[in-house]
Amino acid sequence: MSDRDAGSTPGRRLDAEARLTPGGEVEARIARFQVVLRELGLDAALVTQNADLFYLSGTVQESHLYVPVEGEATLFVRKTVARARVESALARQVPLPSLRALGGLIREHHGGLPATIGLELDVLPVNRFRRYESLLPEARFADIGPALVRLRAVKSPYEVERVRASAAVAVEVFRRVPGILREGMTEVEFAGRVEAEARSLGHQGVIRMRAFNGEMFYGQLLTGVSGGVSSFLDTPLAGSGLSPAVAQGASFKPIARGEPVVFDFVPAVDGYLADFTRMFVIGGFADERFDAAYACARRAQDEVMRVARPGVTCRSVYEAAVAVADEAGLGAHFMGHGPAQVRFIGHGVGLELDELPVLSPNDLVLEEGMVFACEPKFVFPQLGAIGIENTWVVRGDGVERLTTAPEEIVVL
Amino acid sequence: MSDRDAGSTPGRRLDAEARLTPGGEVEARIARFQVVLRELGLDAALVTQNADLFYLSGTVQESHLYVPVEGEATLFVRKTVARARVESALARQVPLPSLRALGGLIREHHGGLPATIGLELDVLPVNRFRRYESLLPEARFADIGPALVRLRAVKSPYEVERVRASAAVAVEVFRRVPGILREGMTEVEFAGRVEAEARSLGHQGVIRMRAFNGEMFYGQLLTGVSGGVSSFLDTPLAGSGLSPAVAQGASFKPIARGEPVVFDFVPAVDGYLADFTRMFVIGGFADERFDAAYACARRAQDEVMRVARPGVTCRSVYEAAVAVADEAGLGAHFMGHGPAQVRFIGHGVGLELDELPVLSPNDLVLEEGMVFACEPKFVFPQLGAIGIENTWVVRGDGVERLTTAPEEIVVL
């Protein structure tokens, strides 16, 4: 039951049933969360969503994590009790035979029922919420979703190293692309082989998003015209996908010479995500605008990294990138084109792909320990897309890149 | 914009941006849904969840599908308007500039606001629901989630053929396993290569589940002891996964001679899923109980297929299978072991993996057109799991298998 060694070399994990999240992490996260509960004037919170549960307890076993504003938290475990005991460092774990028993068990283990209780109302389905209302009829319920999302935006040093380890898988897969990518193969065949490499390096497959209807499968490997296809998600690129049923990502389009190959890849290791984009082309671009746009994307990234540091608003960072695109006369192609243009240049990453900070015109201030992906990209409809994306952590005096790979376009 | 050819041969789809779901299907589904609205006494429904939206409109572009109890439905499309017009056969499509505009647009296009309106309260997050409450303050809201799930349980002939086409991908991947599976490779390396084959055949990657916190990545390729590891999901097998962060599926465990290799695979093509399990072993089982248990699983399946037909309850089907396991003295190992034993032997499949009918002790009556996976499996803790799974459609006089592959254990 010792905490696992979890270094930054991809592909050497063993013993998935051991504990992953150290006890000290869980303890510190719950303590920070209790400060939030106090600020919100809540007596307790009941946490149930997988990403939040993993964050605060170290397990996704079917549980209700009860966090009182003061004192020890209790993990009420429905399934699997034995596994939760191994996976979570929380000392207080109580089997939950059925949801009906929840009120009684809270009373028994916490000396009474809370008057005010926080739930993740941003993700909790209405019917489940109503079930809690009927189980705890005296309680007043409040939304702790946004506060928990805000809390999770600032990563501990341990978490930053987990994102770095995840990023290392993206970089290693990127290094293997020249051995895979061939003219004439379909996007989805290319994607499948890339995904197999990722799996062999420990990619968990599952990519969590918090947004309702949010779906992501490894990222978006898009070539030529596919890069110009937008879809339902709030992303600069989407791709047509294999059918309208999923409507994003790789398609059956064959990969051709001279067109931009967008390698937008989301690694996911031990729960933690990063986001990473590099460009490939077979034989050099047929259209010279792509080289110019890529140079501009890198300048936008440079400008963002010059500006980004603790105390700076997301708005300032966003505007710095937009100014670079506008100065180059490429503003109409920046982060999408026409009605599909999006108003952000990056997003937080961690246990979910759509975390804070969002690098858009908003007033959230960057803090040390925040981790975000910055993805200046240009879209030329009917032609393709091009851009770069790295994942960064905010340090005391600036930002540090976690996705350490060469940034030049790879010509095959 | 013609409806695509979509036969049962895997791997020959093209042109993902074309329409997939025929106009006649969408029309018939909405007409059936309107009957449900009438029975529930509702004036209208507002459908927003991806699977339901795809079912009723043919697109997952960010939309609100407004279905009045009588008359034509309107798809209010936020993003991407152009794509929804291609993907959905619905004639009435209206751009939705922002959620705030919804009430006014409903009034404008439907001659007024509904007094009672159905929402998918089983999946809709509380905060989104509250937004609708504030946007339509005069309306009384009702839950149409369960009714829509019930409606979707009975597939049209078109849908049955989509499940069949999806099943064909699982069968083709199964045929390729002997070329992939090797002693000493890790489960996840094996899984990655299997997944790459599936992708090249048109697997969409994304597997939708309706349950809160429901997550599934291609199924569960589990070997030896991994087959005996349960987890948070309501499934007979789960596997340890790569870490507690996901806690299910393939792990870093190397595959050994003599142990059962459970090939439990979920194909997903054009939105439609199936579920399929076959067994492999390198060099024959080290423990003779596996051969006996597999023979019993097949007998249980035979018995289920003898019993299952329109008019029969799920309970009868479930009990028929349990009786076979009990008679063989294997009841304690059937569908899990100890506290991890589950009380079902199968589940509906379609656009989501957790559909109706659930083959458990419940009184839902089978109907022609229902599609379900039946998965009699045995778990021997510390040793492994074994079983079989096919996807079936209920016909007028019995059931028809959609996953047509040999059922013998494949010895490598």
Side-chain angles (χ1 to χ4, degrees):
Chain A
M1 229 200 262
S2 65
D3 296 339
R4 288 192 314 174
D5 173 23
S8 65
T9 314
R12 55 181 189 78
R13 299 284 194 298
L14 282 173
D15 196 6
E17 288 170 81
R19 179 171 305 158
L20 177 63
T21 314
E25 278 289 312
V26 167
E27 202 178 318
R29 294 173 193 177
I30 287 183
R32 287 177 68 213
F33 187 47
Q34 287 175 319
V35 172
V36 171
L37 295 181
R38 195 166 306 123
E39 286 167 2
L40 293 174
L42 297 175
D43 295 331
L46 202 54
V47 174
T48 59
Q49 186 249 25
N50 278 349
D52 294 336
L53 203 54
F54 182 69
Y55 179 75
L56 289 172
S57 78
T59 185
V60 295
Q61 296 302 315
E62 193 192 335
S63 312
H64 286 68
L65 176 65
Y66 183 84
V67 184
V69 64
E70 274 180 70
E72 216 174 336
T74 305
L75 192 66
F76 293 101
V77 186
R78 183 93 180 81
K79 183 169 184 286
T80 301
V81 171
R83 202 160 168 179
R85 287 211 182 277
V86 176
E87 294 175 349
S88 173
L90 288 171
R92 274 170 67 147
Q93 297 193 25
V94 174
L96 181 67
S98 82
L99 205 49
R100 269 191 307 277
L102 187 64
L105 286 172
I106 291 174
R107 196 181 288 114
E108 179 183 338
H109 290 271
H110 290 273
L113 289 174
T116 56
I117 187 159
L119 296 173
E120 300 140 298
L121 299 186
D122 57 336
V123 291
L124 203 66
V126 174
N127 286 350
R128 258 183 93 104
F129 173 62
R130 291 181 172 173
R131 190 79 206 281
Y132 295 128
E133 284 185 316
S134 74
L135 288 168
L136 304 166
E138 309 294 316
R140 185 179 67 77
F141 292 94
D143 185 10
I144 47 98
L148 192 42
V149 165
R150 180 65 184 79
L151 183 74
R152 283 177 38 204
V154 177
K155 273 67 178 172
S156 70
Y158 166 86
E159 288 190 284
V160 172
E161 294 316 306
R162 298 284 68 69
V163 177
R164 194 193 301 275
S166 184
V169 166
V171 171
E172 178 58 29
V173 172
F174 161 70
R175 288 206 181 97
R176 298 182 186 183
V177 169
I180 297 172
L181 184 59
R182 295 287 174 272
E183 187 181 349
M185 75 196 314
T186 64
E187 287 179 352
V188 69
E189 186 185 349
F190 172 51
R193 294 196 49 196
V194 161
E195 292 155 12
E197 295 296 328
R199 288 288 270 164
S200 74
L201 293 165
H203 194 295
Q204 70 190 25
V206 171
I207 292 173
R208 295 190 172 116
M209 291 188 74
R210 196 169 192 91
F212 181 61
N213 281 335
E215 296 173 338
M216 183 55 64
F217 193 73
Y218 280 111
Q220 289 158 344
L221 306 193
L222 308 177
T223 70
V225 293
S226 298
V229 178
S230 68
S231 191
F232 67 100
L233 280 179
D234 194 20
T235 54
L237 321 183
S240 51
L242 298 176
S243 84
V246 169
Q248 62 160 318
S251 75
F252 292 108
K253 174 194 164 296
I255 301 172
R257 299 180 76 77
E259 63 186 14
V261 175
V262 182
F263 179 81
D264 184 343
F265 188 83
V266 180
V269 177
D270 290 345
Y272 284 90
L273 315 175
D275 210 344
F276 176 75
T277 302
R278 290 294 185 273
M279 297 299 309
F280 294 84
V281 60
I282 301 172
F285 291 123
D287 191 306
E288 64 188 9
R289 277 179 293 179
F290 287 118
D291 282 304
Y294 192 67
C296 185
R298 290 187 67 183
R299 285 200 308 277
Q301 175 182 272
D302 290 346
E303 189 57 17
V304 163
M305 298 319 135
R306 199 182 60 77
V307 170
R309 63 167 55 86
V312 168
T313 62
C314 291
R315 182 188 307 277
S316 311
V317 172
Y318 172 77
E319 286 173 353
V322 171
V324 173
D326 285 345
E327 276 160 33
L330 287 168
H333 298 271
F334 190 52
M335 303 306 291
H337 187 266
Q341 203 166 32
V342 300
R343 294 256 296 167
F344 68 89
I345 57 154
H347 53 90
V349 289
L351 296 172
E352 294 172 314
L353 191 60
D354 47 353
E355 297 201 352
L356 294 179
V358 181
L359 302 185
S360 70
N362 75 79
D363 296 319
L364 182 69
V365 171
L366 294 184
E367 283 179 48
E368 196 171 349
M370 283 183 173
V371 171
F372 63 79
C374 177
E375 51 176 327
K377 289 171 181 162
F378 294 93
V379 172
F380 300 90
Q382 310 303 326
L383 214 57
I386 194 160
I388 190 165
E389 181 171 25
N390 284 296
T391 298
W392 308 80
V393 55
V394 181
R395 297 300 197 187
D397 55 353
V399 291
E400 179 195 348
R401 190 171 61 171
L402 298 173
T403 40
T404 50
E407 299 194 342
E408 290 72 29
I409 294 164
V410 182
V411 182
L412 301 175
Chain B
M1 224 198 266
S2 64
D3 296 339
R4 286 192 313 172
D5 174 23
S8 65
T9 313
R12 52 179 193 80
R13 298 281 194 299
L14 282 174
D15 196 6
E17 288 169 81
R19 180 170 305 158
L20 178 62
T21 313
E25 278 289 312
V26 166
E27 202 178 319
R29 294 173 193 177
I30 287 183
R32 287 178 67 212
F33 187 47
Q34 287 175 319
V35 173
V36 171
L37 295 181
R38 195 166 305 124
E39 286 167 3
L40 293 174
L42 296 175
D43 295 330
L46 202 54
V47 174
T48 60
Q49 186 249 25
N50 278 349
D52 294 337
L53 203 53
F54 182 68
Y55 179 76
L56 288 172
S57 77
T59 183
V60 295
Q61 296 304 314
E62 192 191 335
S63 312
H64 285 67
L65 176 64
Y66 183 83
V67 183
V69 65
E70 273 179 74
E72 217 173 336
T74 304
L75 191 66
F76 294 102
V77 186
R78 183 93 179 81
K79 185 169 181 287
T80 301
V81 171
R83 202 160 167 180
R85 287 212 181 276
V86 176
E87 294 175 348
S88 173
L90 287 171
R92 273 169 69 145
Q93 298 194 24
V94 174
L96 181 66
S98 83
L99 206 48
R100 268 190 309 278
L102 187 63
L105 286 172
I106 291 174
R107 195 180 290 114
E108 179 183 336
H109 290 271
H110 291 271
L113 289 173
T116 57
I117 186 158
L119 296 173
E120 301 141 297
L121 300 186
D122 57 335
V123 291
L124 202 67
V126 174
N127 286 349
R128 260 182 92 105
F129 173 61
R130 289 180 174 173
R131 191 79 206 281
Y132 296 126
E133 284 185 317
S134 75
L135 288 168
L136 304 167
E138 309 294 316
R140 187 180 65 77
F141 292 93
D143 185 11
I144 46 98
L148 192 42
V149 165
R150 179 66 184 77
L151 181 76
R152 283 177 37 205
V154 177
K155 273 68 178 173
S156 70
Y158 167 87
E159 289 190 282
V160 172
E161 295 316 307
R162 297 284 67 70
V163 177
R164 195 192 301 276
S166 184
V169 165
V171 170
E172 179 57 28
V173 172
F174 160 70
R175 289 206 179 99
R176 298 182 187 184
V177 168
I180 298 172
L181 184 59
R182 295 290 175 268
E183 187 180 349
M185 76 195 315
T186 64
E187 287 178 353
V188 69
E189 187 185 349
F190 173 51
R193 294 197 47 197
V194 162
E195 292 154 13
E197 295 296 328
R199 289 288 270 165
S200 74
L201 293 165
H203 194 296
Q204 69 189 28
V206 171
I207 292 173
R208 296 192 172 115
M209 291 187 74
R210 195 168 192 91
F212 181 60
N213 280 335
E215 295 173 339
M216 182 56 64
F217 193 73
Y218 280 110
Q220 290 157 343
L221 306 192
L222 307 177
T223 69
V225 294
S226 298
V229 178
S230 67
S231 192
F232 68 101
L233 280 180
D234 195 20
T235 53
L237 320 184
S240 51
L242 298 175
S243 85
V246 169
Q248 62 160 321
S251 75
F252 292 108
K253 174 194 165 296
I255 300 172
R257 297 181 77 77
E259 63 185 15
V261 175
V262 182
F263 179 80
D264 184 343
F265 187 81
V266 180
V269 177
D270 290 346
Y272 283 90
L273 315 175
D275 210 345
F276 176 75
T277 301
R278 291 293 185 272
M279 298 299 309
F280 293 84
V281 60
I282 302 172
F285 291 124
D287 191 306
E288 64 189 11
R289 278 179 293 179
F290 287 119
D291 281 305
Y294 191 67
C296 184
R298 290 188 67 183
R299 285 200 309 277
Q301 175 182 271
D302 290 347
E303 187 59 15
V304 163
M305 298 319 133
R306 201 182 59 76
V307 171
R309 63 167 55 86
V312 168
T313 63
C314 291
R315 182 188 307 278
S316 312
V317 172
Y318 172 76
E319 286 173 352
V322 171
V324 172
D326 285 346
E327 276 159 32
L330 286 169
H333 298 272
F334 190 52
M335 303 307 292
H337 186 267
Q341 204 165 31
V342 299
R343 296 254 296 164
F344 67 89
I345 57 154
H347 52 90
V349 289
L351 295 172
E352 294 172 311
L353 191 60
D354 47 353
E355 297 201 353
L356 293 179
V358 181
L359 302 185
S360 71
N362 74 77
D363 296 319
L364 182 68
V365 170
L366 295 184
E367 282 178 49
E368 194 170 350
M370 284 184 173
V371 170
F372 63 79
C374 177
E375 50 175 330
K377 288 172 182 163
F378 294 93
V379 172
F380 299 91
Q382 309 303 324
L383 214 56
I386 195 159
I388 189 165
E389 181 171 25
N390 284 296
T391 298
W392 307 80
V393 54
V394 181
R395 295 302 196 186
D397 55 353
V399 290
E400 179 196 347
R401 191 170 61 170
L402 297 174
T403 41
T404 49
E407 298 194 341
E408 290 72 29
I409 293 164
V410 181
V411 182
L412 299 175

